[in-house]
Amino acid sequence: MSQSALDDDELFGEAASEMRDDVESSLSAAREALPEADAVWEAEADNVLGVLNTLDANLEAGDAEEHLRDAKKWYTMGERAEAFEDASDLESEIEALEETVEQLSTAGERIDGLPETMLALKESLEDAETGAGDGADGGNEGEDEDEDEE
């Protein structure tokens, strides 16, 4: 084997090692950028609207998505170049983080419409309590029907 070929193999080995380090570093950064578990479980607020708004803000994946994208990019490059001897651990970590980020996104989508829904429900219940939702006749709709039957 020529010296040039040995150098190329050595350089490829170094590049593969650096690529794996990049993937691992990006995965670590993605995990660190995820919200803390307590942030999506505990929320202090005076009312449901405050809890929902806090929860919605806490469900942001933020930089975790970008770091995960970087990890996937370098992982894909390494796989296509057949640079990794065994990358099943990296693949598993990427899949687990993708699932977590997807769960955050799904939960956030579910929360997004709830504050408006809860406000509308509150208003409807307040109207029902005061009778304001019974129409222009002040809630005498049923009495008019009784008179017509006599």
Side-chain angles (χ1 to χ4, degrees):
M1 186 180 271
S2 71
Q3 182 64 30
S4 175
L6 180 61
D7 290 340
D8 288 348
D9 288 343
E10 190 176 307
L11 290 173
F12 185 79
E14 284 181 34
S17 178
E18 289 175 8
M19 201 173 298
R20 183 176 183 90
D21 288 345
D22 285 344
V23 173
E24 289 172 348
S25 175
S26 292
L27 287 172
S28 178
R31 280 190 300 277
E32 290 175 16
L34 290 171
E36 293 181 23
D38 287 344
V40 298
W41 190 250
E42 298 174 2
E44 293 183 27
D46 294 333
N47 55 41
V48 171
L49 185 59
V51 169
L52 291 173
N53 286 332
T54 300
L55 185 56
D56 189 34
N58 290 343
L59 290 173
E60 293 294 320
D63 291 339
E65 288 178 301
E66 188 62 34
H67 293 301
L68 180 59
R69 186 179 192 289
D70 285 344
K72 288 175 65 172
K73 174 176 61 177
W74 291 116
Y75 173 80
T76 302
M77 288 287 292
E79 278 294 292
R80 288 190 181 167
E82 297 179 3
F84 304 133
E85 288 182 25
D86 180 22
S88 60
D89 61 326
L90 296 177
E91 184 178 17
S92 296
E93 285 186 59
I94 288 171
E95 288 173 359
L97 278 171
E98 280 183 310
E99 185 176 320
T100 300
V101 168
E102 181 63 30
Q103 286 175 330
L104 282 169
S105 176
T106 300
E109 289 170 5
R110 289 179 178 170
I111 297 292
D112 281 345
L114 282 176
E116 185 177 313
T117 300
M118 296 305 291
L119 282 172
L121 178 59
K122 181 181 182 289
E123 289 175 11
S124 293
L125 291 171
E126 287 172 342
D127 288 349
E129 287 174 4
T130 62
D134 290 341
D137 65 357
N140 294 328
E141 239 177 74
E143 292 174 17
D144 290 339
E145 290 175 15
D146 291 340
E147 289 175 12
D148 290 341
E149 290 177 12
E150 292 177 18

